[in-house]
Amino acid sequence: MKVINDFLEYIILDLNKGKKLEAWNNIILNRPDPQVIWDKNENVDWSIAHASYTRSNTGGGHWQIKKDIPSSWTISYQDLKFNLKLMGFKHTGLFPEQAYNWNVLRNSIKKADRKVKVLNLFAYTGAASIACLKEGASVVHVDSSRGMIEWAKENVKLNHLEDASVRFLVDDVRKFVKREIRRGNKYDIIIMDPPSFGRGAKQEVWNIETDLDNLIKDTAELLSDDPLLFIINSYTTGLSKTVLEDILYLRVNSKFKGLISSDELGLPVKDSNLILPCGLYARWERQK
């Protein structure tokens, strides 16, 4: 497991009974987490939370605001900054464990010593895009949600990257990829962070178990003649990292020989030996 130990402004304070108590640059949240299946019976004061997310028995849920909390606030990781907000479905707009991939991306772009083109699919609020832009890459950022695209633009401004080479597109990822194939566009790095289920810009249904392989097969056609990375993230329970490795072997490594790796990503819990698993990644990278 790759454990993120250097995210100084994000701290997991406790895990208990299906929930996590966490500090986001001193804003403390109580959020559900399905991985936390234990009852520790320890005296940790969870009343310090500024806000708690409660799931409804009929689906969805809501935030209970217990203390003054800003409508948005900023968190930093190294020289990267991100704007956070309480979202309708328990999220804040950032997944701290992805810091591992941000570092992989930045190092790969630095070592390339050339102009690098990046395609970020299911790009959310743009953390990976920001990491790539910081190293001078050009980025095409695609997400089906206009709200997430606007949030990503906020993060670009927050990092003073207004003059960087980035295109934001509200689009269904699968349709966009097929159009890019027809256009003949190519990319050195491809990142995708697909949800388990979702809907496109025009309500197109996405199911990771039935759609991921075809998407990767198509997207591999967009790799340049000298590609650097192909990264897939997954939070889908039951989808093995070996399955993702197998797909990369079949769809990417058959075209470009390289190294394939995968692992879980995790975050440490303060003052304990506990690690919270936070999904997994699989990566193809150019053979060095």
Side-chain angles (χ1 to χ4, degrees):
M1 175 180 281
K2 301 295 188 297
V3 180
I4 309 306
N5 290 304
D6 63 343
F7 206 131
L8 304 181
E9 293 191 1
Y10 175 82
I11 305 169
I12 297 179
L13 303 172
D14 196 22
L15 301 172
N16 202 21
K17 298 180 181 179
K19 296 181 179 182
K20 55 188 173 185
L21 187 68
E22 53 192 357
W24 299 77
N25 193 11
N26 298 318
I27 300 296
I28 299 173
L29 303 179
N30 173 350
R31 295 194 296 159
D33 194 299
Q35 299 285 350
V36 185
I37 62 173
W38 54 82
D39 178 354
K40 290 201 309 174
N41 292 319
E42 292 183 3
N43 295 321
V44 176
D45 183 10
W46 285 56
S47 69
I48 62 174
H50 292 79
S52 299
Y53 188 88
T54 302
R55 282 207 170 102
S56 168
N57 293 330
T58 57
H62 65 279
W63 285 99
Q64 294 177 305
I65 308 299
K66 299 181 177 181
K67 300 181 181 181
D68 288 340
I69 185 172
S71 59
S72 66
W73 71 101
T74 301
I75 195 169
S76 298
Y77 173 76
Q78 297 180 0
D79 60 340
L80 307 177
K81 296 183 182 298
F82 307 104
N83 208 14
L84 304 181
K85 306 171 189 177
L86 299 184
M87 297 175 65
F89 186 65
K90 82 171 183 177
H91 296 304
T92 64
L94 189 71
F95 295 93
E97 71 279 358
Q98 287 299 318
Y100 171 78
N101 282 322
W102 307 336
N103 291 331
V104 169
L105 289 162
R106 297 184 73 170
N107 288 335
S108 180
I109 294 167
K110 285 178 184 176
K111 291 178 181 177
D113 196 27
R114 58 180 167 91
K115 189 65 175 179
V116 174
K117 293 180 63 178
V118 178
L119 176 59
N120 190 5
L121 302 175
F122 306 99
Y124 198 50
T125 61
S129 296
I130 299 298
C132 295
L133 291 171
K134 276 284 191 179
E135 299 305 329
S138 63
V139 177
V140 174
H141 175 111
V142 185
D143 198 278
S144 65
S145 168
R146 187 171 299 278
M148 295 302 103
I149 293 289
E150 293 304 315
W151 197 334
K153 291 178 180 178
E154 292 175 15
N155 282 329
V156 166
K157 292 180 180 178
L158 185 64
N159 286 274
H160 307 293
L161 292 167
E162 294 93 332
D163 295 330
S165 177
V166 56
R167 289 178 61 212
F168 293 103
L169 297 166
V170 180
D171 207 342
D172 177 77
V173 162
R174 291 167 295 181
K175 292 180 179 179
F176 171 81
V177 167
K178 289 185 179 297
R179 288 198 301 272
E180 287 292 89
I181 293 171
R182 293 194 294 269
R183 295 173 184 132
N185 288 332
K186 300 291 183 178
Y187 299 90
D188 304 300
I189 294 176
I190 294 175
I191 312 157
M192 61 173 66
D193 200 342
S196 299
F197 299 94
R199 292 188 181 274
K202 296 183 179 178
Q203 298 302 303
E204 303 90 342
V205 176
W206 163 268
N207 183 323
I208 194 171
E209 293 182 355
T210 57
D211 296 327
L212 183 62
D213 177 48
N214 284 332
L215 176 62
I216 294 174
K217 182 179 179 181
D218 287 346
T219 308
E221 295 188 38
L222 300 180
L223 287 168
S224 67
D225 292 336
D226 188 17
L228 300 175
L229 291 172
F230 197 121
I231 297 176
I232 310 166
N233 293 299
S234 175
Y235 302 91
T236 303
T237 303
L239 188 61
S240 166
K241 60 188 180 69
T242 305
V243 169
L244 297 181
E245 283 196 14
D246 288 345
I247 296 175
L248 287 175
Y249 178 81
L250 290 168
R251 305 309 184 196
V252 179
N253 209 64
S254 60
K255 299 175 182 291
F256 304 98
K257 299 301 179 185
L259 300 174
I260 295 175
S261 59
S262 67
D263 208 342
E264 284 188 281
L265 297 174
L267 293 165
V269 181
K270 183 180 180 181
D271 298 330
S272 80
N273 293 319
L274 299 180
I275 302 294
L276 178 66
C278 302
L280 52 89
Y281 75 89
R283 180 176 75 242
W284 173 94
E285 57 191 312
R286 184 177 61 183
Q287 184 81 52
K288 296 179 177 62

